Amino acid sequence: MLFSSKIKSNYNPKRLAVKLNAKGEQFVVQGHPWVFSDNITKVNDNAKSGDLAIIFGKNKNRVVGLGLYDANSPIRIKMLHSSTEKAEINAAFFKHKISKAFSKRQSLLKTNTNSYRLLFGENDGFPGLIADVYASVLVVKIYSEIWLPYIETIIPDLQEISDCKTVVIRLSRSLENSKKHKLENGDVVFGTLKDEVVKFVEHDVNFSANVIKGHKTGYFLDHRANRKQVGELSRGKTVLDVFSYAGGFSVHALSNGAKEVTSLDISKQALEIALENGKLNKFKGKHHTIAGDAF
């Protein structure tokens, strides 16, 4: 099965030699994921988003870090590698990072769960990039133009390592307005998507997410452990879930024996999804909704 040609970039990134002030260099050496524009003292002319920034220390022959240059943000360099140890930013580099991220998540998937965050931005060395798995659907959210020259390499590796059958691309608002790519928010770039609402399981609790129109990638998978804990604390309780969105905490509470749960959100559409998610599970408690401003 072929990947969509939309993920190909026409821009070949350059290599930039970058010098920082003492404060900026200290941040890089300490492993901070960002370099701000006011910490840069020297950089090539005509640097563009996606160019590879090679950061030199006080000793100009000593490389202290590698990152991606972002011409459109005060966070001018997003770090990929902070070390004096040599590294080459290529397909093997990214694949190793993806494999490392996947191995971390495997140990967390001990319960009946088939949804997880595979890439968590800066935490996994992919600043401005999120990859979420919903059953057999992989949703990749791109927040910055810096990734456009690299996604043709990265996305096939994400698909292979996650073993997902479908890949969906989601774009930040700024990227939706960018002229530097052919992508559209919600593009299916690999496989087929029979229904934009995808069902998945999280710690024995059934859910669904709209991977095309939902917030972020469709759901907030980074709160999976928190929802599980709230569920365990909810047996026999009356629960209020404020900013409930699609009912993640609410449904966990109900599925774990809460007597009564009220989901409150400003979006009526989100509350309808919360009720539908509840119906995917068996529970005896009552589920109420309130559409309104939490404050």
Side-chain angles (χ1 to χ4, degrees):
M1 194 176 293
L2 297 175
F3 284 84
S4 169
S5 60
K6 284 188 172 185
I7 65 175
K8 292 183 179 180
S9 172
N10 295 324
Y11 180 61
N12 292 318
K14 304 187 300 292
R15 294 163 69 90
L16 308 174
V18 179
K19 290 282 289 182
L20 306 179
N21 58 24
K23 186 176 181 181
E25 183 179 341
Q26 183 182 25
F27 284 158
V28 169
V29 171
Q30 291 175 346
H32 197 286
W34 300 335
V35 173
F36 290 89
S37 57
D38 56 4
N39 292 134
I40 298 174
T41 59
K42 188 176 180 181
V43 66
N44 304 52
D45 293 334
N46 300 319
K48 295 183 180 180
S49 294
D51 286 343
L52 178 63
I54 303 170
I55 301 171
F56 291 90
K58 292 177 183 177
N59 178 351
K60 64 181 180 180
N61 295 320
R62 179 172 173 261
V63 176
V64 296
L66 304 170
L68 297 181
Y69 189 84
D70 190 341
N72 303 314
S73 171
I75 303 172
R76 198 55 52 87
I77 298 172
K78 276 81 169 181
M79 298 302 299
L80 299 176
H81 179 75
S82 300
S83 174
T84 54
E85 294 182 9
K86 289 185 177 180
E88 187 175 351
I89 308 303
N90 54 21
F93 174 88
F94 289 122
K95 188 167 187 175
H96 173 73
K97 278 188 172 290
I98 295 168
S99 297
K100 185 177 179 182
F102 180 72
S103 66
K104 289 179 181 178
R105 276 63 187 182
Q106 276 186 307
S107 64
L108 301 175
L109 298 172
K110 293 179 180 179
T111 66
N112 179 22
T113 299
N114 63 5
S115 59
Y116 61 96
R117 178 152 291 178
L118 173 52
L119 288 187
F120 204 150
E122 282 82 350
N123 286 325
D124 293 309
F126 287 86
L129 191 71
I130 299 292
D132 283 346
V133 173
Y134 300 96
S136 64
V137 178
L138 171 70
V139 186
V140 180
K141 177 110 185 211
I142 308 170
Y143 285 90
S144 172
E145 288 181 348
I146 63 174
W147 290 109
L148 295 178
Y150 306 96
I151 58 173
E152 183 181 0
T153 296
I154 292 170
I155 288 177
D157 287 336
L158 285 169
Q159 183 273 323
E160 178 187 344
I161 290 168
S162 67
D163 196 29
C164 284
K165 309 305 179 189
T166 304
V167 181
V168 176
I169 297 291
R170 298 292 302 271
L171 304 174
S172 65
R173 288 184 182 178
S174 62
L175 263 183
E176 283 191 77
N177 298 323
S178 171
K179 309 283 189 186
K180 296 183 179 179
H181 61 84
K182 300 175 183 177
L183 293 163
E184 293 182 17
N185 188 38
D187 270 343
V188 178
V189 296
F190 180 81
T192 57
L193 188 68
K194 295 179 181 179
D195 189 338
E196 62 187 39
V197 177
V198 178
K199 293 180 180 179
F200 61 95
V201 183
E202 179 181 86
H203 300 306
D204 287 318
V205 182
N206 297 309
F207 284 99
S208 66
N210 191 315
V211 297
I212 302 296
K213 299 172 185 172
H215 289 322
K216 308 296 184 180
T217 65
Y219 194 64
F220 294 89
L221 289 178
D222 49 326
H223 280 292
R224 185 187 62 199
N226 294 335
R227 287 188 289 267
K228 181 175 184 291
Q229 186 172 25
V230 167
E232 292 168 350
L233 294 170
S234 297
R235 183 171 297 279
K237 303 288 180 60
T238 298
V239 178
L240 172 64
D241 181 5
V242 185
F243 307 103
S244 60
Y245 182 48
F249 288 95
S250 300
V251 177
H252 267 278
L254 288 165
S255 297
N256 282 274
K259 290 192 300 184
E260 191 171 350
V261 173
T262 300
S263 300
L264 189 158
D265 199 276
I266 201 165
S267 168
K268 291 182 179 179
Q269 184 182 11
L271 291 173
E272 290 172 4
I273 297 171
L275 290 171
E276 290 302 315
N277 280 333
K279 292 175 183 177
L280 296 174
N281 301 275
K282 293 181 180 180
F283 58 84
K284 295 180 180 179
K286 296 179 180 179
H287 190 185
H288 309 290
T289 62
I290 299 174
D293 187 333
F295 296 104

